[in-house]
Structures are given as C-alpha cells and as structure tokens.
Amino acid sequence: MIAVTTIAALREVLAPTRGGRIGVVPTMGNLHEGHLDLVRAARAECDTVVMTIFVNPTQFEDAADLERYPRTVEHDLALAEANGVDVVFLPGVEEMYPDGFATTVSVDGAITEVLEGAVRGRAHFDGVATVVAKLLLAVLADVAYFGAKDAQQVVVVTRMVADLGIPTRIAVVPTARDADGLALSSRNARLTAEERARALAVPRALAAIADASTRERDAAALLAIGRATLAGLDVEYLEIVDPDALTTLTTLEGAALVVVAVRVGATRLIDNVTIPRRSDP
Ligand code: PAF
C-alpha cells in the first residue's frame, strides 16, 4: 500500500494503473466495518482501490464537532492495508484548500435544503460537494463508493457528478449495522452504554415502519408508529420522502425512503431505510 499526501503524487502513483478499473472510497477516517464494506465492494469490482482520508473542515457547521471528530490515522492505515487498499490519499487542509482557494460547488434545490440541509445548514452540502468534487477529480476513478446510511449525501453527490460531467460512477453500498441493529458510525464511540441502549430505538423505529408499510400506505400513520418507538429521544426529523427528489410523501405508491435524525445526549445519529414499491421483491 502506498500513502501519498499531495494531488501531484497521487496522480503520479495512479498513472500506470489507468489501463485498469480504479475505485475510490472517500472517507474522513476513523474507519469501521461500514468503511471496510465500501473497500470490499471496491476490491471486488476494481483493479486498483484508492481510499481518501480527509476530515473536511468545510462540511462541519460546528467547530466543536470538527475538533472532536476522531482522528485515528495509524489505525486507519493498518485497516486499509489489511483490507486490500492499494493507495491512500491523506491530504492536509492546505493541500485541499490552498491559500486563495475561492471555489464552492453548490448543489441547488430541495435536495440540499431539506433534512440535513435544513438542520445543518446549506453550507454542509456545499462543503461535501466541493470536497467530493475535488477528490473525484484528483483520483479520476471509474467508480466511487458511498454508504447508504448517508442517503442525502448520495443524492447530492450523484446530482453533482451528473451536472459537472465527472466521469465516475457513484456506487451505493448497504448500511453496515452492529448485531443489535445500530448503524455503524464514527460517532457511535461517543455514546455511553445507557445512550447506546436508547439509540437502539432508531433502527427499531425504522424496522417498525418498514414492517407496517406492508399493510399501511399512509405516511402519517407510518410516521406515528415510528414516533411512538422514538418516544423519549430528541428527534430532529423523521420523514418519508421520495428516494431521489427527497420530497415529502403523503402516500407510499412507489419506492420510499424513511429518514431519521436524532440526538442522544451530545451525539447526533442519522439512519434510514428504503421501502420498496409494493410490487418490488
Ligand atoms: O461521508 C463522509 O465520510 C464524508 O462526507 C465524505 C464523503 C468523505 C466527504 O468529506
């Protein structure tokens, strides 16, 4: 495995591999099984697997959250190597945002205004779109792998890649969960045992909604079931939306995405489940 810190070095290392298929896994480090699922998906489909590790300051709306974000580079490099990553790109802030940096990639419309955009502010997705555009252009991979847990991020990045004509396919990998159902997240490490037990209401609420959706198609009725399961948690949003447009649904006709964000103590957790069309398997 080769680790590089500059875009120039990354391009040099990747130049001889361009005949084969290149996959990239963008991360902010603090790797867990969810990231490793992305690596495994990339490894299965690509000749060269690149991982990027960069805690992107522009997507954090809260300086304390950025400060607290776990940085575990040695552990990450060991896991990346053990799981077959060929090249790790580990830029510093000055490499990604050099002096005079003045460009923002901003995806307009409802897909960045609702849900995470409404809670965290538009600047969050500007930060994500800008850094992902830079990373994809630096790697010029054939495929980029993202986790389904960040469903809105996937929608925004997919739009951005299509709009800018970036020649990288966006592949979405199912959410990795602990045995108790909690979606894996770097933030889970901050939960106390008591908070973690309470956080399990999140996957339970999603499962209850998905289960009820086999007989109930009214979104308000389904959300009431979910809210009852989340009682006692600080719920930022629980919504049923169109999986592509992220517009609110009142009745489930086609596929639907149930999205939830809660705060458990000082920790913010997001999760989602896709409800297939009734005729889908
Ligand atoms: O999902 C993440 O870890 C980040 O938002 C990403 C895509 C690496 C951009 O910083």
Side-chain angles (χ1 to χ4, degrees), residues 26-28 56 59 131-132 146 150 153:
T27 80
M28 297 205 295
N56 174 36
Q59 71 187 77
V131 81
V132 172
F146 290 86
D150 296 304
Q153 171 169 279

Side-chain angles (χ1 to χ4, degrees), residues 190-201 232-233 264-266:
R190 296 188 204 154
L191 296 169
T192 64
E194 183 271 334
E195 287 170 345
R196 194 191 154 89
R198 287 200 290 129
L200 294 182
L233 286 187
V264 188

Side-chain angles (χ1 to χ4, degrees), residues 19 27 47 91 104 118 153 173 191 214 246 256 265:
T27 80
D47 303 298
T104 299
Q153 171 169 279
V173 175
L191 296 169
T214 57
L246 303 182

Side-chain angles (χ1 to χ4, degrees), residues 7 53 56 76 82 98 100 105 120 124 127 146 167 182 195 199 247 271:
I7 294 171
I53 301 179
N56 174 36
D76 295 345
V105 178
R120 304 184 66 168
H124 167 66
F146 290 86
L182 193 67
E195 287 170 345
T247 44
D271 201 350

Side-chain angles (χ1 to χ4, degrees), residues 25-29 35 38 52-57 59-60 69 97 124 127-129 131-132 135 145-147 150 153 157 186:
V25 177
T27 80
M28 297 205 295
H35 297 109
L38 305 184
T52 69
I53 301 179
F54 178 61
V55 182
N56 174 36
Q59 71 187 77
F60 285 80
Y69 201 85
Y97 301 112
H124 167 66
V128 170
V131 81
V132 172
L135 292 169
Y145 295 83
F146 290 86
D150 296 304
Q153 171 169 279
V157 166
S186 302

Side-chain angles (χ1 to χ4, degrees), residues 154-241:
V154 169
V155 170
V156 172
V157 166
T158 302
R159 178 80 262 158
M160 182 271 291
V161 162
D163 288 354
L164 297 183
I166 297 177
T168 300
R169 176 170 69 82
I170 303 302
V172 186
V173 175
T175 301
R177 296 182 182 278
D178 271 327
D180 57 13
L182 193 67
L184 296 190
S185 162
S186 302
R187 294 170 197 270
N188 293 357
R190 296 188 204 154
L191 296 169
T192 64
E194 183 271 334
E195 287 170 345
R196 194 191 154 89
R198 287 200 290 129
L200 294 182
V202 172
R204 272 194 218 115
L206 293 176
I209 293 174
D211 178 51
S213 72
T214 57
R215 37 187 195 280
E216 175 63 75
R217 306 304 277 182
D218 178 61
L222 291 170
L223 291 173
I225 292 169
R227 276 198 212 93
T229 312
L230 293 171
L233 286 187
D234 177 4
V235 181
E236 285 184 345
Y237 58 76
L238 172 67
E239 290 195 36
I240 303 182
V241 297

